[in-house]
Structure formats: C-alpha cells, structure tokens
C-alpha cells in the first residue's frame, strides 16, 4: 500500500502536535488555518485513520498519531539534512543516522565502529537509542530508527537479521568465590549460591530461560534486577553470583571479578543488524553498516 502525502503535510502534522493548536501551528507555518486543516485531512485520508483529537481548547495526537509521530520527526530531520547537504554543494558528505542498539553492544564495540566511521564521514551525525532488545525491535518495526543492532530471535517477517557475533552467557563471580577454582562451570553448580538475574522483560532473560528449559534446567534466582550493570555491582559487593552475556562483563583484568564459561549446555545469544525489509536505508546508514561489517571482520 502506498501513502500519498507531501513533506508539507508532515510538517503540518508535527507543528500541530508540538504547538497543541491549529491556530498557533498555522501562524508558525505562515498559512491560513483552513489550509492547515486541509493538509491534516489529506494526511489522515492517506493514513486511513484520524491522527488528531480535536477539542475547542486542546489538540492531541490519537493512538495512531502517537505511533506516527516518531517516524515523521525522523523523516523530516533526514529530509532537511539532505537539503542542507545539497545546499553545501556536495563538498562535504552530511546526514543523520538514527539507530537502535542493545546497551551492551552500544558500550563495548559500537564506539570502535563510530570512531572508524567518523574518520571517513566526519559530518554525518549519529542518533543512538540504547534500548532493550524488545524496545529496539519495536523501534525498527515502527520506522522510528533506520536499523538496529539487536538480539536474534525475532520472528517478524517484515524484519531481516544479519548476524554479527555470537555472545555466550558466562558466570560472573568474585575472585575469592569457591566457583572461581573451576575452569568451567555446569549449571547445577550454581545451586546453593545467591543468584542475580535480570527480570523477565529482558530479551536476555527470555533467551536464557527458553534455552535452559529444553534441558530441564531453570534459574533459581535470589536477586532479580532490571539492568545488567546492577548484577555486576551486587556480585562485586559479594552478595551473589550472576549469569551474564560475555559482552556485559569486564573485558579487561578486573580487581575483584572473574568470569567462567558455563557448559552443558552452552547458551549463546546472537547479535546482529536488524532492518525493515520494505524500507531502503539512507546512503549514510548503508555506509555505516559497511564500516560496521568491516570492523567486525578484523
């Protein structure tokens, strides 16, 4: 299905939402209020649903309008950035890339990619939304971001996934913990020690629970937290042990913590590039992914 609308229709919608008034939006856009209303009506007809709730004193986006708004903002910003680049005469490659990224990847290997990319494209700006796996997939599916660096496992047929790295789950413990004497750990060895896990809203937890259930195993947790960094803090304080993706653990020598591989089974998450099949990437995003793949193959 194609949607027939103009850039100015999108600007009209954004202005009404931001200013919460047709009158103020018409003044800001330097058009008459009836002309603004026609723009909104045309956009609503193209979408096939009302985008604004109108009352005599207030205007607010409908549920459809709220879903559309992030996409409109991104489209307008990219459009304006492209116009600015053309105005510059093409002497400097400019643009904006908006991506979603799971926090561990954003912290541990994305900076290296950004540094390499910035050397070749210093005038292309990056907007990085560090989101949970589920939130990141939703942002890609809704078009709020061009692509995501996320966990594999989504079954949405509208999204494609290109693997980058396999990241195994490991045990994080203090150096003076009894389990630190072992070179590798079996899951049942965790019983009897206070275990720190992330809550069930996490994509990591869902993946881990599903993999262990196939082997009649489960995590007998004592502490449940929201963020992986909190898990490491509790472990460092000597309050428990934790099962974490290797990328979420200290990558260099740590004064207090060590990690050990967990086997039988080895549980691994795959991180890769997620994009919408129906939406072509901007040239800037294509270049960024090219750099990302090259850096990761080194």
């Amino acid at each position: 299905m194609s949607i027939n609308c103009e850039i100015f229709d999108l600007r009209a919608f954004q202005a009404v939402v931001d200013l919460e008034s047709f009158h103020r939006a018409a003044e800001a856009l330097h058009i008459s209020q009836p002309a603004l209303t026609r723009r909104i009506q045309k956009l609503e007809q193209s979408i096939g649903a009302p985008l604004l709730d109108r009352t005599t004193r207030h205007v607010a986006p409908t549920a459809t309008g709220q879903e559309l708004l992030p996409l409109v903002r991104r489209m307008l910003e990219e459009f304006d950035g492209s116009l600015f680049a053309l105005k510059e005469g093409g002497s400097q490659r400019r643009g904006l890339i908006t991506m979603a990224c799971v926090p561990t990847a954003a912290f541990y290997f994305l900076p290296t990619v950004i540094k390499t990319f910035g050397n070749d494209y210093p005038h292309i700006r990056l907007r990085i939304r560090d989101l949970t796996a589920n939130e990141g997939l939703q942002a890609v599916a809704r078009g709020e971001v061009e692509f995501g660096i996320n966990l594999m496992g989504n079954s949405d047929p509208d999204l494609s996934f290109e693997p980058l790295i396999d990241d195994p789950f490991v045990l994080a413990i203090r150096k003076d913990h009894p389990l630190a004497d072992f070179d590798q750990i079996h899951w049942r060895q965790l019983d009897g020690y206070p275990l720190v896990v992330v809550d069930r809203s996490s994509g990591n937890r869902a993946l881990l629970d599903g993999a262990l259930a196939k082997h009649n195993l489960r995590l007998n947790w004592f502490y449940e937290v929201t963020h992986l960094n909190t898990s490491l803090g509790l472990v460092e304080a000597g309050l428990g042990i934790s099962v974490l993706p290797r990328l979420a653990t200290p990558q260099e020598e740590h004064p207090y913590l060590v990690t050990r591989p967990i086997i039988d089974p080895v549980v691994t998450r795959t991180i890769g590039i997620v994009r919408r099949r129906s939406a072509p990437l901007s040239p800037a995003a294509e270049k960024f992914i090219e750099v990302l793949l090259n850096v990761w193959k080194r």
Side-chain angles (χ1 to χ4, degrees):
M1 180 185 71
S2 62
I3 296 177
N4 181 25
C5 66
E6 301 174 15
I7 286 293
F8 201 81
D9 300 338
L10 302 179
R11 293 197 193 281
F13 170 66
Q14 179 178 265
V16 173
V17 172
D18 289 345
L19 298 173
E20 300 181 347
S21 164
F22 274 77
H23 176 71
R24 290 193 293 271
E27 286 186 340
L29 296 171
H30 305 291
I31 61 174
S32 67
Q33 193 165 324
L36 175 63
T37 299
R38 288 193 295 272
R39 290 281 181 180
I40 298 298
Q41 289 173 341
K42 177 185 172 185
L43 184 59
E44 289 178 326
Q45 289 171 0
S46 297
I47 299 297
L51 300 176
L52 297 168
D53 280 327
R54 306 163 174 84
T55 67
T56 55
R57 301 182 62 182
H58 185 65
V59 181
T62 63
T64 302
Q66 289 175 344
E67 187 175 347
L68 180 66
L69 185 60
L71 176 59
V72 168
R73 292 195 194 282
R74 181 173 72 81
M75 290 173 63
L76 290 175
E77 192 158 5
E78 290 178 358
F79 179 77
D80 291 341
S82 298
L83 286 183
F84 183 77
L86 290 173
K87 188 176 180 181
E88 291 285 305
S91 60
Q92 294 178 326
R93 290 167 288 188
R94 297 179 182 271
L96 170 68
I97 302 170
T98 303
M99 72 181 82
C101 188
V102 288
T104 47
F107 184 81
Y108 287 105
F109 73 77
L110 196 57
T112 303
V113 178
I114 292 172
K115 183 177 181 180
T116 303
F117 181 79
N119 290 335
D120 293 332
Y121 305 97
H123 300 288
I124 294 180
R125 296 176 297 153
L126 300 174
R127 177 183 290 128
I128 303 164
R129 299 185 59 193
D130 46 339
L131 303 171
T132 66
N134 294 331
E135 292 169 341
L137 289 173
Q138 291 171 5
V140 175
R142 290 195 294 253
E144 297 172 12
V145 298
E146 288 197 77
F147 65 93
I149 300 174
N150 212 309
L151 307 187
M152 188 175 182
N154 179 68
S155 58
D156 189 334
D158 295 329
L159 300 180
S160 67
F161 186 89
E162 185 174 0
L164 281 176
I165 179 177
D166 289 330
D167 186 23
F169 285 85
V170 298
L171 180 67
I173 48 180
R174 281 182 59 96
K175 291 181 177 180
D176 56 4
H177 193 279
L179 292 179
D181 294 334
F182 295 86
D183 292 330
Q184 55 188 19
I185 304 295
H186 294 263
W187 289 97
R188 297 197 186 279
Q189 288 180 262
L190 307 185
D191 293 341
Y193 299 105
L195 180 63
V196 187
V197 299
V198 291
D199 63 38
R200 295 183 185 277
S201 65
S202 164
N204 290 311
R205 174 70 180 278
L207 189 157
L208 198 53
D209 283 349
L212 293 180
K214 295 177 182 178
H215 295 264
N216 296 317
L217 296 168
R218 61 189 297 269
L219 297 172
N220 298 310
W221 58 270
F222 193 82
Y223 300 104
E224 189 175 68
V225 301
T226 302
H227 300 292
L228 295 174
N229 284 342
T230 307
S231 299
L232 286 175
L234 295 180
V235 174
E236 186 174 333
L239 296 173
I241 62 177
S242 187
V243 176
L244 303 168
R246 186 170 59 191
L247 275 179
T249 63
Q251 302 300 293
E252 299 178 355
E253 181 72 17
H254 191 279
Y256 306 111
L257 302 180
V258 292
T259 61
R260 294 290 183 266
I262 311 177
I263 62 171
D264 296 331
V266 173
V267 181
T268 299
R269 65 177 190 169
T270 301
I271 296 175
I273 301 167
V274 182
R275 66 179 84 179
R276 286 184 296 160
R277 298 182 188 276
S278 61
L281 298 176
S282 66
E286 291 279 10
K287 287 294 184 183
F288 185 88
I289 289 178
E290 180 181 318
V291 171
L292 171 61
L293 293 173
N294 288 336
V295 169
W296 200 250
K297 289 175 182 177
R298 292 176 185 173

